[in-house]
Amino acid sequence: ACQVHAPALRRSAPPSRALTASLRMCGAYCLRAGYDATYEAVARDDTDSARAKSKAEQRWAYVMRKFWAVVWVGFALFIAKVVDLWHVVTEDYVTGRPQFRLHRGYFKLGIICFALWVAVATYLVVWVKYVLKVEQEWEEYAPRSIPFATCCGVVGIVSFIVAFWPVWGLLTLPICFVLFMGLLHSAHFVPL
């Protein structure tokens, strides 16, 4: 029996050259009647095993998402501690190197853009989805929100990179990336 999946092929359609070629390539060539019966049986088995596997696979995917979220948040906290982020933000410089100062103007612009980005995300995720209970996609309900949030995010990250560049130099890029990923993955632990 042929065990080839061809969901685009209808029962009443004659086998095409592409199907015939693919069947020969996989080493199995089946007649029209045998193909239909086998396809139905395989499709039935696949849906049953997909339901059984899907629960376990869904659970595993959930566990792995939470695991990597914990890894990113932990790594971001570690980097923040190593680079003395709190002192740099509050005092404008790293301890022992007061000549390399944070650009406050770009830092404030980054904070404003980040706050706008969080406001748009909160509006879409909490207000639109849970309070208004809108069934439409975000792009249909609020078509300007995603481009606005994207612009705020890009301007914000560039502002943070420019602001921290005098303090950390070339290491600003990986430091900002890790801090951003940790902040982004911290949303996994917001109970919604």
Side-chain angles (χ1 to χ4, degrees):
C2 178
Q3 302 264 333
V4 175
H5 300 278
L9 184 67
R10 298 197 191 283
R11 276 184 70 157
S12 61
S16 66
R17 287 185 185 179
L19 174 65
T20 306
S22 67
L23 291 174
R24 285 185 181 147
M25 283 176 35
C26 72
Y29 186 83
C30 51
L31 298 173
R32 174 81 180 119
Y35 173 76
D36 286 342
T38 304
Y39 178 74
E40 289 174 7
V42 169
R44 220 176 306 114
D45 289 344
D46 281 350
T47 56
D48 292 341
S49 64
R51 280 190 216 126
K53 287 181 183 177
S54 68
K55 281 285 195 187
E57 287 176 357
Q58 287 176 358
R59 184 68 178 157
W60 179 251
Y62 174 80
V63 168
M64 290 309 294
R65 277 195 310 270
K66 295 299 179 184
F67 170 75
W68 286 112
V70 167
V71 167
W72 275 111
V73 170
F75 192 46
L77 290 173
F78 174 74
I79 291 295
K81 178 72 174 155
V82 167
V83 299
D84 202 11
L85 181 65
W86 183 253
H87 190 268
V88 171
V89 169
T90 57
E91 303 296 326
D92 290 343
Y93 62 91
V94 177
T95 307
R97 293 179 28 188
Q99 67 274 17
F100 301 111
R101 302 188 73 82
L102 175 75
H103 283 286
R104 272 289 171 197
Y106 286 108
F107 181 73
K108 289 176 184 176
L109 178 63
I111 292 290
I112 290 168
C113 289
F114 177 72
L116 289 172
W117 181 76
V118 169
V120 170
T122 304
Y123 168 73
L124 291 174
V125 173
V126 177
W127 186 258
V128 170
K129 186 175 180 181
Y130 291 111
V131 176
L132 297 179
K133 298 185 187 322
V134 174
E135 296 296 324
Q136 292 177 324
E137 292 291 325
W138 294 338
E139 293 86 8
E140 296 170 6
Y141 183 75
R144 293 187 190 124
S145 58
I146 300 296
F148 177 73
T150 303
C151 289
C152 287
V154 169
V155 170
I157 195 69
V158 168
S159 297
F160 282 132
I161 289 171
V162 171
F164 287 117
W165 192 271
V167 180
W168 298 318
L170 195 57
L171 289 176
T172 303
L173 297 172
I175 290 170
C176 284
F177 174 75
V178 169
L179 293 175
F180 174 73
M181 290 298 287
L183 194 61
L184 189 66
H185 284 286
S186 67
H188 279 271
F189 308 108
V190 176
L192 286 181

